[in-house]
Amino acid sequence: MFRNVTIITSFTLLFFTGICTGQKTWWGEYALYAGGGVNDIFRFEELLGAGSVTGTGMWTVGLDLRRLFGDHFSIETGISYAHQHYYTSPAPGIGGEDQPGTFGMLAMPMKARVDFLKWLFADAGVLFALQPGGSHVDNMTGLGVTIGAGFQYNFRSDVFIRLRVYGSQYGLLHLMPEDYPQTLTNSGVTLGVGYRFIHLGKCNCPDDNMPRKRIY
């Protein structure tokens, strides 16, 4: 599991560094967040006579990295972990009890964000998710989508707080194909705290900006 986390984190940082390469000076933000909400595990084509899976909630934590392009547009990536709770029920007519279970989803989103009305924003994008370990549900490693909207207040110290309401769909494209695969949705709210920073390019370094000595 830790090897998978390292791979995803390294790829995220390399991607974010790549989109900033060639920019002499740019603004960015990083934020830590946590939250929770509801989940649903289902198939788009349910199987007759099969058992069912019922989601009972989730919690999530994550780190976001954001690259600003002006006052209203930005791109965002990061890494998140969402812990899923559920229980399985036997097929109708078959004896047995409900069995609780949990599993985690590691995800790396790639989102575009639009800010408007000073403090509000909306974002949407794709996400690559990895389901480590085993569980009683299908492995939903693959591609999904996410969409959200929220409120961000920036203090004069460049610290900010952010509230985001979102929905994510995992397993739209499975990397481990199965017949009639299950998929997962998360809907919830996160609260984050972050910091806005400026990266000065080479042309902004103090040594580069020092006046040249004139020789008379």
Side-chain angles (χ1 to χ4, degrees):
M1 176 177 175
F2 291 105
R3 181 173 178 270
N4 294 330
V5 174
T6 302
I7 292 173
I8 292 180
T9 304
S10 300
F11 183 80
T12 300
L13 295 175
L14 287 173
F15 175 84
F16 192 75
T17 301
I19 61 178
C20 296
T21 300
Q23 302 294 331
K24 295 182 179 180
T25 299
W26 49 272
W27 287 88
E29 293 178 351
Y30 60 85
L32 296 171
Y33 64 87
V38 298
N39 59 354
D40 190 18
I41 304 168
F42 63 96
R43 293 182 174 90
F44 287 110
E45 296 183 24
E46 292 293 346
L47 301 178
L48 296 177
S52 62
V53 182
T54 303
T56 56
M58 48 76 64
W59 57 263
T60 183
V61 294
L63 166 69
D64 279 343
L65 298 172
R66 182 172 168 234
R67 165 71 164 92
L68 282 69
F69 295 90
D71 295 331
H72 302 290
F73 181 75
S74 59
I75 57 176
E76 190 173 297
T77 184
I79 186 169
S80 67
Y81 174 79
H83 195 75
Q84 314 291 329
H85 295 267
Y86 70 95
Y87 66 85
T88 59
S89 302
I94 298 179
E97 298 181 352
D98 296 341
Q99 298 293 326
T102 63
F103 65 93
M105 296 296 294
L106 284 169
M108 184 185 72
M110 303 292 179
K111 299 180 291 186
R113 170 172 153 172
V114 177
D115 289 70
F116 56 95
L117 297 180
K118 192 175 181 179
W119 294 328
L120 303 181
F121 68 87
D123 60 54
V126 299
L127 56 84
F128 172 75
L130 174 69
Q131 181 181 335
S135 67
H136 297 293
V137 300
D138 295 344
N139 191 306
M140 283 172 271
T141 297
L143 297 178
V145 296
T146 184
I147 187 171
F151 167 92
Q152 178 170 317
Y153 182 80
N154 301 308
F155 297 95
R156 291 184 179 180
S157 61
D158 289 328
V159 173
F160 63 85
I161 57 173
R162 182 184 66 198
L163 183 70
R164 180 175 181 253
V165 179
Y166 76 99
S168 295
Q169 177 81 54
Y170 298 90
L172 287 178
L173 178 61
H174 287 248
L175 295 187
M176 299 180 182
E178 298 187 26
D179 294 333
Y180 306 103
Q182 291 171 325
T183 187
L184 167 69
T185 60
N186 283 174
S187 300
V189 179
T190 61
L191 179 64
V193 178
Y195 181 77
R196 177 172 291 189
F197 63 90
I198 183 171
H199 177 274
L200 297 177
K202 184 177 181 180
C203 64
N204 294 97
C205 293
D207 291 340
D208 293 341
N209 291 331
M210 289 179 62
R212 293 176 180 269
K213 292 183 179 180
R214 295 185 180 181
I215 301 177
Y216 293 97

